[in-house]
Amino acid sequence: MPEKKESKKTKELKEKLLMDKPRVWDRLSSQEKEDVFDYARGYMDFLNKGRTERRAVSGLLDMASQKGFVNITDALGTSNRIYHVSRGKLLILAVPGQKPMTEGIRLVTSHVDSPRLDIKPNPLYEEEGLAMLKTHYYGGVKKYQWVARSLAMIGTMFTRSGKVVDVEIGLNSDDPVLTIPDLLPHLSRKQMEQKASEFIPAENLNVIIGSLPYEDKNASDRVKLAILDLLFSKYGITEEDFIGAEIEMIPAEPARDAGLDRSLVAGYGQDDRVCAYTSATALFQLQKPLHTCVAVFYDKEEIGSEGNTSAKSAALDLFLMELLEKTEIPSSARNLRHVFTAGKALSGDVTAAVDPTYGDAYEKRNNSKIGHGIGITKYTGAGGKYMGSDANAEYASWVRRLFNEKNIMWQVAGLGKVDEGGGGTVAKYMANAGMDIIDCGPPILGMHSPLELCAKDDIWMTQKAFKVFLES
Ligand code: MN
Ligand code: MN
């Protein structure tokens, strides 16, 4: 059949009225295309170093220190770029601006915790000649994705005398890895009949940590004893030291290029370390911005933002009050309210990219697509927008105009079909404090899985978007 030809008038009308949905790649110069790949290398390096919230915070802090950021307790007035770390798991960075903070700040938030398996407080036991560790999953995981794969064990423990011990096993290529074997297909008839949410029960997420017995043949639990002996000689830790420790089992493999064209990053923890990296590197490029610019990197987002390193904590309030004092504005509750209500924020968090294989789960007209730039999510929540954050039309319009004016390639974003599920971000806590805030971030495939996929051009565009926002 011959192709139908539209009239010039129709074309012009379409150009005038319809939304353009360009690919980021089509709009980049050859230099920018190189920049996209260069930028992704730095990002993957960060992902590989920052495999846990603590390591992400220390990785960001290393980068910030190199860029001249100083601890808020050492900062003289606002002549410095400033950082604050809370309990090693929450980081705030600030670049003081020209205007008083009470006339509004620019804030970008992200979170550095990711779904994983945590070791239980009393994890170690021996059964059938194997030493095993009990785990408790953290955040929204599909449990079956965590069996039959190489895991690394990273965390922070304290000895009985209070000495801190950094545990890390499985990241180096010559390290041993840990794993949770799956049941063989030959004996899986019953398992295969169960629902996906049930066929790997949480209490089956037990990690094999060793199989050699201690030399005394008359001893009980010889494998467990041998493992404890090994852990003691390597780290000086005993069984009791697991109680209260923070040890995470995470995918052992590093982030890699994905696709024959190397256009994507495949790696664990990109939700939401991609927004952590893009917002930090955007902030680093600022010199003396108009407004004071702040980037916050939260912990505990994946379990509902509870606790003293989360977005519900008082950490940001206190930091902003300290910063007010540095600018010789009284840090009254009233002034803090002004900082928030006059301020503008982006809640940087990944959004679900439409996966062509599971197209049915998405509402394609309102969900974001790989390679079309940063996704803007006007509202989050589940069902009737419950528990979500819904940006004001005025503010959504402001962000849209800013992005359009500065050639930021953005697209509409939302979390799947209505009533298919849903989710929230930290945006609502800043909104509750009075800020104008909207969710935005790059689309991601396989969110919350051990191997998430994010497109390099989207990552690069996200960094650009954060930068123009902070500079506004
Ligand atoms: Mn997230
Ligand atoms: Mn998440």
Side-chain angles (χ1 to χ4, degrees):
M1 236 172 51
E3 215 178 298
K4 282 183 189 162
K5 225 166 172 240
E6 282 176 347
S7 72
K8 192 166 166 257
K9 196 177 155 201
T10 311
K11 264 192 194 153
E12 279 168 6
L13 193 68
K14 280 189 166 179
E15 230 163 78
K16 185 176 145 192
L17 298 180
L18 295 181
M19 199 157 57
D20 194 16
K21 293 168 192 155
R23 296 280 316 223
V24 171
W25 199 247
D26 290 336
R27 296 282 175 96
L28 300 182
S29 68
S30 52
Q31 179 59 51
E32 285 172 325
K33 286 177 178 170
E34 273 179 42
D35 293 348
V36 164
F37 281 89
D38 277 348
Y39 185 76
R41 274 188 276 278
Y43 167 57
M44 287 160 79
D45 192 42
F46 167 71
L47 274 186
N48 291 336
K49 285 179 187 146
R51 305 277 193 110
T52 64
E53 60 279 35
R54 282 178 191 267
R55 288 187 171 205
V57 162
S58 64
L60 291 165
L61 192 56
D62 284 348
M63 285 156 57
S65 303
Q66 281 169 23
K67 301 279 178 189
F69 283 71
V70 299
N71 194 321
I72 189 158
T73 52
D74 303 325
L76 301 167
T78 52
S79 54
N80 299 108
R81 309 164 117 204
I82 293 162
Y83 74 79
H84 169 68
V85 182
S86 181
R87 294 173 170 86
K89 293 185 281 186
L90 182 159
L91 173 69
I92 308 175
L93 300 175
V95 178
Q98 300 160 37
K99 287 196 171 192
M101 289 167 64
T102 42
E103 288 182 29
I105 58 168
R106 295 289 177 266
L107 173 74
V108 182
T109 66
S110 61
H111 65 92
V112 287
D113 63 318
S114 295
R116 59 185 189 247
L117 307 180
D118 285 341
I119 298 296
K120 283 193 183 186
N122 182 25
L124 187 59
Y125 66 100
E126 175 175 340
E127 221 170 279
E128 310 296 350
L130 293 167
M132 317 272 286
L133 287 174
K134 297 289 298 177
T135 67
H136 192 145
Y137 66 94
Y138 173 99
V141 304
K142 289 166 118 176
K143 294 182 276 278
Y144 63 80
Q145 293 176 340
W146 291 79
V147 300
R149 61 163 44 245
S150 300
L151 298 171
M153 175 170 147
I154 307 183
T156 302
M157 295 181 81
F158 286 84
T159 65
R160 205 177 283 208
S161 63
K163 188 174 149 266
V164 63
V165 180
D166 274 322
V167 175
E168 183 199 300
I169 301 165
L171 290 191
N172 289 322
S173 53
D174 55 345
D175 272 2
V177 291
L178 305 162
T179 191
I180 303 167
D182 196 3
L183 186 61
L184 61 167
H186 318 65
L187 300 178
S188 292
R189 203 171 67 209
K190 274 190 201 140
Q191 187 198 42
M192 300 292 266
E193 281 163 8
Q194 283 174 288
K195 290 200 297 186
S197 60
E198 286 162 7
F199 76 77
I200 303 287
E203 294 297 350
N204 281 16
L205 293 172
N206 303 320
V207 180
I208 292 183
I209 189 172
S211 63
L212 290 179
Y214 180 67
E215 62 190 24
D216 181 357
K217 290 183 185 136
N218 298 319
S220 60
D221 282 351
R222 292 166 66 206
V223 183
K224 174 179 169 179
L225 194 59
I227 286 295
L228 279 171
D229 194 31
L230 216 141
L231 284 170
F232 187 77
S233 58
K234 189 169 162 75
Y235 295 114
I237 52 176
T238 65
E239 188 174 25
E240 189 187 283
D241 300 330
F242 279 102
I243 298 174
E246 291 178 358
I247 300 186
E248 305 175 14
M249 307 295 315
I250 55 145
E253 68 269 22
R256 304 271 298 264
D257 287 337
L260 291 183
D261 54 5
R262 297 179 180 269
S263 59
L264 303 140
V265 174
Y268 164 73
Q270 299 196 69
D271 172 9
D272 182 37
R273 291 176 197 136
V274 65
C275 288
Y277 186 76
T278 46
S279 61
T281 52
L283 190 82
F284 293 156
Q285 295 170 57
L286 307 175
Q287 290 310 321
K288 194 75 188 170
L290 187 59
H291 296 96
T292 292
C293 292
V294 182
V296 199
F297 310 89
Y298 285 118
D299 177 30
K300 298 287 185 281
E301 192 274 343
E302 296 294 359
I303 57 166
S305 293
E306 300 292 349
N308 57 18
T309 54
S310 78
K312 281 192 204 168
S313 75
L316 181 62
D317 291 24
L318 183 58
F319 177 85
L320 293 174
M321 288 170 113
E322 303 274 11
L323 208 55
L324 275 172
E325 294 285 331
K326 300 267 177 203
T327 65
E328 290 168 2
I329 298 173
S331 61
S332 62
R334 183 163 174 260
N335 281 337
L336 180 65
R337 288 283 175 222
H338 280 299
V339 171
F340 282 126
T341 50
K344 290 182 164 62
L346 296 181
S347 164
D349 209 340
V350 296
T351 185
V354 174
D355 183 337
T357 307
Y358 298 97
D360 276 358
Y362 300 88
E363 203 274 81
K364 291 179 186 176
R365 289 177 188 86
N366 283 283
N367 292 170
S368 58
K369 302 185 176 77
I370 289 290
H372 289 77
I374 186 170
I376 299 182
T377 305
K378 184 180 180 288
Y379 55 84
T380 55
K385 302 189 182 181
Y386 286 101
M387 308 299 283
S389 180
D390 194 348
N392 297 309
E394 290 84 348
Y395 185 56
S397 156
W398 183 86
V399 171
R400 178 161 64 97
R401 276 178 287 137
L402 174 75
F403 284 179
N404 284 343
E405 196 182 298
K406 302 286 183 186
N407 296 318
I408 298 303
M409 303 192 59
W410 60 274
Q411 55 178 324
V412 66
L415 198 56
K417 277 184 177 162
V418 180
D419 285 349
E420 196 72 26
T425 64
V426 300
K428 55 187 167 186
Y429 310 114
M430 267 55 71
N432 290 346
M435 292 200 91
D436 269 324
I437 188 163
I438 195 163
D439 281 291
C440 60
I444 207 160
L445 289 165
M447 197 193 292
H448 282 206
S449 78
L451 200 70
E452 298 174 322
L453 282 171
C454 198
K456 291 179 181 177
D457 49 358
D458 290 331
I459 298 169
W460 185 78
M461 193 51 77
T462 299
Q463 170 249 175
K464 276 188 68 140
F466 289 156
K467 181 165 175 274
V468 303
F469 169 78
L470 292 168
E471 283 171 339
S472 68

